[in-house]
């Protein structure tokens, strides 16, 4: 059997006395959008940063197609990630930023133009990033993630700062990405958005994965997803055994 696009097993991260992530186990399947949902400080970003090799786990493994991110020969071609665009120099333009990133992973300037179009960033491609709104920055982050035409997208709160039209656009984009057989792992604390975008859900609270399953499974027994989320967050009581 081939390895899952994303497989997290017994993953843990301690920062001093804080258990940011504790014994997390879940996977993300191809051709599906997996929502990684939890309240502020639940451990979502820490988990995604371990998956992307940015911080070292205290325990457990976070694998992409059976290997750690940094063990892949060309990881940027395999995985596109949106964490934040903080690394971009504010006086560069969006196009310059994408060309610089593209050059690092052997991507042509034609591909830069494609991702500018795909993400609706083309109209402000030649403006300085320092003048961008939060939503524009989010689109530029996504454009950066798409440069290598990846099989897997890992997105940390990608809808933060998007206006309603931007949120609908992002949802449509991610649904089409998954429909082409590729994999999306998407973190959020906004239940309504994830509910409309994801096929599968992983709920995390205070570092612990409290529920996993398809939306359909989580909503069974007449519960709304909101009920499941709130109960999983506040009580940790099992609902769907
Ligand atoms: N570098 C760090 N040093 C110490 N504690 C950290 C560090 N990074 C994260 N934490 C702590 O780990 C916990 C999980 O943080 P994390 O950023 O992963 O949560 P999150 O679910 O992404 O939250 P949010 O939705 O608010 O972005 C929090 O208690 C946070 O304060």
């Amino acid at each position: 059997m081939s390895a899952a696009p994303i497989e997290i097993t017994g993953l843990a991260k301690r920062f001093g006395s804080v258990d940011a992530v504790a014994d997390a186990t879940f996977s993300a399947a191809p051709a599906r959008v997996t929502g990684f949902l939890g309240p502020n400080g639940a451990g979502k970003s820490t988990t995604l940063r371990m998956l992307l090799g940015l911080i070292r786990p205290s325990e457990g493994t976070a694998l992409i197609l059976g290997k750690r991110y940094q063990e892949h020969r060309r990881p940027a071609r395999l995985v596109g990630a949106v964490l934040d665009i903080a690394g971009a120099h504010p006086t560069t333009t969006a196009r310059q930023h994408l060309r610089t990133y593209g050059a690092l992973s052997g991507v042509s300037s034609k591909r830069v133009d494609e991702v500018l179009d795909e993400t609706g960033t083309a109209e402000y491609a030649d403006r300085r990033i320092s003048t961008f709104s939060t939503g524009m920055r989010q689109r530029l982050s996504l454009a950066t993630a798409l440069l290598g035409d990846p099989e897997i997208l890992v997105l940390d709160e990608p809808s933060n700062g998007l206006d309603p039209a931007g949120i609908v656009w992002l949802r449509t984009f991610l649904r089409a990405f998954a429909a082409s057989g590729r994999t999306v792992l998407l973190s959020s604390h906004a239940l309504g958005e994830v509910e409309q975008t994801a096929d599968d859900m992983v709920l995390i609270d205070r570092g612990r994965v409290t529920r996993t399953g398809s939306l359909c499974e989580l909503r069974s027994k007449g519960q709304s997803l909101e009920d499941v989320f709130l109960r999983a967050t506040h009580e940790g009581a099992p609902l769907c055994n």
Side-chain angles (χ1 to χ4, degrees), residues 15 18-21 38-47 156-157 189 204:
F15 293 110
V18 177
D19 280 322
V21 178
N40 292 130
K44 303 179 296 294
S45 300
T46 304
T47 302
D156 196 7
E157 310 264 3
H189 55 260
I204 183 168

Side-chain angles (χ1 to χ4, degrees), residues 8-15 18-26 42-43 46-51 55-62 204 206-209:
I8 307 269
T9 311
L11 195 66
K13 182 69 187 179
R14 277 182 296 277
F15 293 110
V18 177
D19 280 322
V21 178
D23 196 21
T25 297
F26 64 90
T46 304
T47 302
L48 299 186
R49 293 173 76 79
M50 288 192 274
L51 178 65
I55 51 175
R56 189 191 294 266
S58 306
E59 279 164 45
T61 54
I204 183 168
R206 286 164 285 183
R208 296 194 174 270
V209 171

Side-chain angles (χ1 to χ4, degrees), residues 74-77 98-108 144 147-149:
R74 304 178 80 180
R77 290 293 189 110
L98 290 169
R99 286 196 172 156
T100 304
Y101 266 76
L104 292 174
S105 45
V107 167
S108 68
T144 312
L147 274 175
D149 198 13

Side-chain angles (χ1 to χ4, degrees), residues 105-151:
S105 45
V107 167
S108 68
S109 56
K110 180 169 167 282
R111 179 68 189 150
V112 168
D113 291 339
E114 283 171 8
V115 299
L116 283 167
D117 282 339
E118 264 181 78
T119 57
T121 321
E123 62 186 279
Y124 36 86
D126 298 310
R127 272 176 54 178
R128 290 180 174 188
I129 294 174
S130 58
T131 67
F132 279 20
S133 69
T134 311
M136 288 170 172
R137 284 170 175 266
Q138 285 289 27
R139 286 182 187 244
L140 179 58
S141 296
L142 187 60
T144 312
L146 290 170
L147 274 175
D149 198 13
E151 278 300 302

